[in-house]
Amino acid sequence: MTERDIPESWHPTRGRKPDEMDGVSRSPQVGDTQAFGVPAPGSSNPVKQRIIYDSEGLLIDRESKVTEDTKKSFVKLPRWMKGWVGWVLLLTLIPGGVGFLAMAMLLKLPTAPNCPSIFWPLASASVRIHCAQLAASKQTVDDLLQAIALIKQLPQDHPLHGEIERFTEEWSKEILRLADQSFQAGNLEQAIATAQKIPQDLSAYKLVDEQIAKWQTTWDKAEGIYTQAEEELRQQRWQSAFMVASKLLRVDNKYWASAKYDELNAIITSSKEDVDKLDKAQRLADSKVVDNLLEAIKLAASVEPKSYLYRKAQESIPAFGRKMLDLAQAKMDERDADTALDIARQIPESTGLQTEVEDFMALADAQRNAWLGNIAGLETAITQAQQINASRPNYDKAQQLISRWQLEIEDVARLEKAQLLANQGTINDLVGAIAEAQMIPTSNPRGSEARQNINRWQSQVETIEDRPYLERAEQIALLSDINSLQAAIAEASQIRQGRALYPEARRRIRTWVGRVQRIQDQPYLDQAREFAARGDLSAAINAAQPIASSGRALSGEAQTIIDDWRSQIRARENWNRAREVAAAGTSQALVEAIRLADQVSNRSLLRMDANIAIDQWGQQILDIARSEGSSDMSKAIETARLIPRGSSAYRAAQEQIKIWQQFLNPAPQPQPEQFEPATIINGQ
């Protein structure tokens, strides 16, 4: 049983009008002000009241002390109450009213305490537990911690200590459950921070370190799987990346097993698509076609920033742009400035080469003016190149071109002067033009052009000087006799090696020398042909052999006819030998004779005789085989096979061989069908 006085500040009528007092509950409320027996407004006699509660905060008794002043304040009794009837009525009504009021107060439960306004140092354990339960029912970390704090301050020897221990254990586990929800949602730090808010002096705190360690282990395992999958992605091992990513499904964390797994799968899929994009872009770029390079840049730019290949894609874009710039430079090297400028204009800004592109276009336009080859064009080119300042990437190249063009202006002036002299066409003018052009150093921009002009003008001078020698030689050679031809050769030989007309002179000299050699050697070759016509091929060969080995004009012709004569000699020898061998009449001798006769050249006159003899000898072999077939078919087959394919008897021999083989190896005869006696059915 607890006893406490109700502070006057808890009065339940505070803030109410006097006419509203009848409806005020007489039940006490913790934290609210309450006073019973309050006199009517204007009374100066307060009622002192004591309220007694049990351990559960329930009202047990109350006493009121009415002061003397209060008693005096009552009104004087009416006359009707002075009689016994009045007293009887009074005594009847008072106990019934008191009983009624008592029963009403007993049946009316006290209202719940107003927890936010309680002065906790004076609050009872039951009130603390009640308010803690209200706070814990909100299922938030802060409210659960507040609930624990409300009952945790009660002493260890309190009668409700067992109940308090049960509540703190339950609410601590609830906090851990909420922390685990944060962990499952992917907020590891928040989960740890939430778990560490549990007071360390509670018995449930021993679960905190264990739970945090479990979370950290699970998180580290998931991060390791994710990192391994990322590494497989960087190595472009897609199947392996999918296999590693699937391990996240077995991780005891919803965030990693669902959101991060889905995210990783999406990255793997998109990365594989990005690899295909970059491969296609690289193939397009390798074609070195402007439109393909533009398509390659577009494909590389479509790779999303979240892709693992984004960096590679971004690195490839400038590389593709530089390939376009290289194509433009190649066109400039071919002196196709219009195409080069068109390519440069198409290079996208995303390549990061805009500054270089601008400089390239400026220099390309300047070079196009410089290629005009005159002083005005060169001066314009220099002015354009000077607009590229020192901060630009192509500044050094521009300065080199300016220096080159400045030297070229001087060279152009000299070349123009030299060309004017050369146009006169005389030896002196050409010599003067050569002298003027020789003043241009070889290292100068127009040095190569000057050398070409000098060589051309020098050739013109030599042609003018040597043409008379060649013309006189041609006039002399018209007589076509040996002496005239030799004189022409001597005249043309005055043109020295290295002179402009020297190659032409040598061609003419070789022609005239050949004509001289033909005139000299033709009689010997004619004599050899006469020997051959008489059938003395050996004498013909001996007569033509010196000409064939001399290397002179008729040596090729002589060697050709010598080879033909030697072929005829071999054909004659083979034909004679074949006839001698065939005279033996055996199958082997006839086969050898056929072989020798077949070596007679098709160009030989004896080839027709050889063909007739080959057919006859083949027929003789077939006759021998047929005679052998009457006694020994196997031997006859071997003999018939000796007939060569070129013989007219070859086909007949093959047919005869087939007949003999069928006779020696007859085909098996089909066996007659075996018929079983018919079964008698139904008497049939």
Side-chain angles (χ1 to χ4, degrees):
M1 304 285 288
T2 60
E3 180 178 310
R4 58 182 177 176
D5 292 334
I6 304 301
E8 190 166 344
S9 61
W10 287 10
H11 199 290
T13 63
R14 182 178 55 192
R16 297 178 180 269
K17 297 179 181 180
D19 56 354
E20 296 174 346
M21 290 297 296
D22 293 338
V24 176
S25 173
R26 298 301 180 181
S27 298
Q29 295 189 19
V30 178
D32 292 341
T33 60
Q34 181 174 347
F36 296 106
V38 179
S43 175
S44 61
N45 297 317
V47 178
K48 293 183 179 179
Q49 186 178 33
R50 184 177 64 182
I51 300 175
I52 301 174
Y53 292 88
D54 62 4
S55 61
E56 296 300 326
L58 300 177
L59 177 64
I60 295 177
D61 193 10
R62 57 184 172 183
E63 295 179 2
S64 300
K65 295 180 180 181
V66 182
T67 63
E68 291 298 327
D69 295 336
T70 305
K71 293 178 180 179
K72 293 179 180 181
S73 65
F74 291 132
V75 295
K76 190 174 182 178
L77 293 173
R79 178 176 297 183
W80 63 270
M81 293 184 65
K82 294 180 180 180
W84 65 270
V85 176
W87 286 107
V88 170
L89 292 173
L90 181 63
L91 291 174
T92 302
L93 294 172
I94 289 174
V98 171
F100 177 78
L101 291 174
M103 183 61 67
M105 294 181 67
L106 287 174
L107 294 175
K108 185 175 180 64
L109 295 175
T111 59
N114 186 10
C115 297
S117 59
I118 292 176
F119 183 65
W120 294 112
L122 300 179
S124 67
S126 60
V127 172
R128 285 178 178 272
I129 292 174
H130 176 73
C131 290
Q133 287 177 321
L134 288 177
S137 66
K138 298 178 182 179
Q139 295 294 302
T140 66
V141 175
D142 291 339
D143 289 321
L144 288 167
L145 290 172
Q146 183 181 1
I148 293 173
L150 281 175
I151 63 175
K152 182 173 162 294
Q153 297 176 2
L154 295 174
Q156 297 288 329
D157 57 353
H158 195 280
L160 298 177
H161 179 71
E163 193 73 10
I164 292 170
E165 285 289 330
R166 183 176 65 82
F167 283 139
T168 55
E169 182 78 16
E170 177 184 343
W171 295 339
S172 297
K173 291 181 178 179
E174 187 64 24
I175 292 173
L176 277 180
R177 186 186 66 79
L178 294 175
D180 188 67
Q181 289 181 356
S182 298
F183 170 72
Q184 294 295 334
N187 299 319
L188 175 63
E189 295 180 358
Q190 180 181 342
I192 294 174
T194 299
Q196 290 177 340
K197 289 180 180 179
I198 298 174
Q200 298 183 7
D201 55 351
L202 297 181
S203 59
Y205 189 79
K206 61 185 180 181
L207 301 175
V208 173
D209 291 337
E210 179 182 344
Q211 187 66 35
I212 291 175
K214 180 180 178 182
W215 290 340
Q216 193 66 59
T217 301
T218 302
W219 196 272
D220 292 343
K221 178 182 177 182
E223 284 184 336
I225 294 172
Y226 200 93
T227 301
Q228 184 182 357
E230 288 180 319
E231 182 61 29
E232 296 297 322
L233 280 176
R234 293 187 185 94
Q235 300 298 326
Q236 299 184 14
R237 294 192 286 263
W238 313 118
Q239 187 63 29
S240 179
F242 273 116
M243 296 296 293
V244 173
S246 65
K247 295 180 181 178
L248 289 176
L249 297 173
R250 297 188 291 274
V251 174
D252 187 19
N253 183 275
K254 294 180 180 178
Y255 170 72
W256 285 100
S258 58
K260 295 297 284 183
Y261 172 76
D262 293 340
E263 173 189 319
L264 190 56
N265 266 350
I267 292 174
I268 293 172
T269 302
S270 62
S271 296
K272 187 176 181 182
E273 293 174 354
D274 292 339
V275 166
D276 295 338
K277 285 183 182 178
L278 291 184
D279 288 343
K280 181 179 179 181
Q282 188 62 53
R283 290 194 300 272
L284 289 171
D286 291 340
S287 67
K288 296 183 179 180
V289 177
V290 175
D291 292 340
N292 290 347
L293 282 166
L294 290 172
E295 181 65 21
I297 293 172
K298 185 177 179 180
L299 284 172
S302 67
V303 176
E304 297 292 336
K306 64 182 179 181
S307 173
Y308 284 90
L309 295 171
Y310 177 74
R311 182 177 179 182
K312 182 178 179 181
Q314 291 299 306
E315 291 174 352
S316 65
I317 291 174
F320 297 157
R322 191 160 296 282
K323 284 192 174 184
M324 291 186 68
L325 204 56
D326 292 341
L327 288 178
Q329 184 60 54
K331 291 298 180 182
M332 286 300 298
D333 295 340
E334 297 173 3
R335 294 206 168 196
D336 187 357
D338 293 337
T339 304
L341 289 169
D342 181 63
I343 295 173
R345 290 189 192 98
Q346 297 182 60
I347 298 176
E349 293 184 5
S350 60
T351 60
L353 303 174
Q354 202 59 29
T355 302
E356 294 184 46
V357 170
E358 292 174 358
D359 289 351
F360 175 84
M361 294 176 67
L363 288 178
D365 194 41
Q367 285 178 288
R368 180 166 55 180
N369 288 321
W371 290 338
L372 296 176
N374 53 42
I375 295 175
L378 290 166
E379 289 176 346
T380 302
I382 290 172
T383 302
Q384 290 175 319
Q386 286 174 340
Q387 295 176 2
I388 300 176
N389 57 46
S391 63
R392 308 289 282 190
N394 286 337
Y395 175 75
D396 292 338
K397 183 177 180 180
Q399 293 302 308
Q400 293 175 1
L401 289 173
I402 289 171
S403 300
R404 174 188 178 90
W405 292 334
Q406 287 173 343
L407 290 174
E408 195 170 349
I409 288 175
E410 299 177 4
D411 296 345
V412 168
R414 293 187 180 279
L415 285 175
E416 288 179 352
K417 181 179 179 181
Q419 189 62 53
L420 289 174
L421 289 172
N423 289 340
Q424 303 300 320
T426 64
I427 292 178
N428 292 333
D429 292 330
L430 289 169
V431 171
I434 292 171
E436 187 67 30
Q438 285 176 339
M439 297 176 66
I440 300 173
T442 306
S443 59
N444 276 23
R446 292 295 182 94
S448 176
E449 182 181 352
R451 300 284 82 77
Q452 292 175 1
N453 287 334
I454 289 172
N455 293 336
R456 179 165 54 85
W457 296 331
Q458 184 65 41
S459 178
Q460 291 180 17
V461 170
E462 293 173 355
T463 299
I464 294 172
E465 292 176 343
D466 295 342
R467 178 59 67 184
Y469 296 108
L470 198 55
E471 290 177 351
R472 284 195 298 270
E474 290 175 348
Q475 291 294 327
I476 296 172
L478 290 176
L479 298 176
S480 298
D481 57 85
I482 292 179
N483 293 331
S484 298
L485 292 171
Q486 290 177 343
I489 293 170
E491 185 69 22
S493 298
Q494 297 185 49
I495 300 175
R496 299 186 306 276
Q497 185 175 1
R499 305 278 290 181
L501 292 179
Y502 179 77
E504 184 179 353
R506 296 312 302 171
R507 287 195 300 272
R508 300 293 179 85
I509 289 173
R510 283 195 296 271
T511 301
W512 297 331
V513 168
R515 290 168 63 180
V516 170
Q517 292 175 353
R518 285 182 177 276
I519 294 173
Q520 293 174 341
D521 295 342
Q522 190 64 49
Y524 299 103
L525 192 58
D526 293 340
Q527 184 180 9
R529 285 195 174 97
E530 291 178 1
F531 289 142
R534 293 197 297 265
D536 192 353
L537 296 178
S538 297
I541 291 172
N542 293 332
Q545 188 62 50
I547 301 173
S549 59
S550 65
R552 290 161 66 87
L554 293 177
S555 59
E557 183 180 352
Q559 186 62 50
T560 300
I561 60 176
I562 287 174
D563 292 340
D564 182 61
W565 293 335
R566 287 175 176 169
S567 176
Q568 292 182 29
I569 292 174
R570 286 194 298 273
R572 185 178 299 171
E573 292 174 351
N574 289 331
W575 171 239
N576 293 333
R577 178 61 180 162
R579 288 187 298 174
E580 291 175 359
V581 171
T586 65
S587 58
Q588 296 295 333
L590 292 171
V591 170
E592 179 64 16
I594 291 173
R595 187 188 68 79
L596 292 171
D598 195 45
Q599 293 182 5
V600 175
S601 174
N602 290 329
R603 296 194 303 270
S604 175
L605 297 175
L606 298 175
R607 182 63 197 184
M608 184 176 295
D609 295 338
N611 289 337
I612 295 172
I614 289 172
D615 292 339
Q616 292 176 351
W617 295 334
Q619 187 61 45
Q620 290 180 23
I621 295 173
L622 180 58
D623 294 340
I624 294 172
R626 284 173 175 168
S627 63
E628 292 174 345
S630 59
S631 58
D632 190 350
M633 290 186 184
S634 297
K635 184 177 180 181
I637 290 172
E638 293 179 2
T639 302
R641 284 176 175 170
L642 296 175
I643 300 172
R645 186 178 297 271
S647 175
S648 60
Y650 175 78
R651 179 172 297 181
Q654 294 300 313
E655 292 177 356
Q656 185 64 59
I657 290 172
K658 188 179 297 183
I659 294 171
W660 288 332
Q661 287 176 338
Q662 290 175 355
F663 185 82
L664 292 175
N665 302 302
Q669 295 296 325
Q671 296 294 327
E673 295 183 4
Q674 300 294 328
F675 296 97
E676 296 181 358
T679 303
I680 300 176
I681 300 175
N682 297 329
Q684 297 181 359

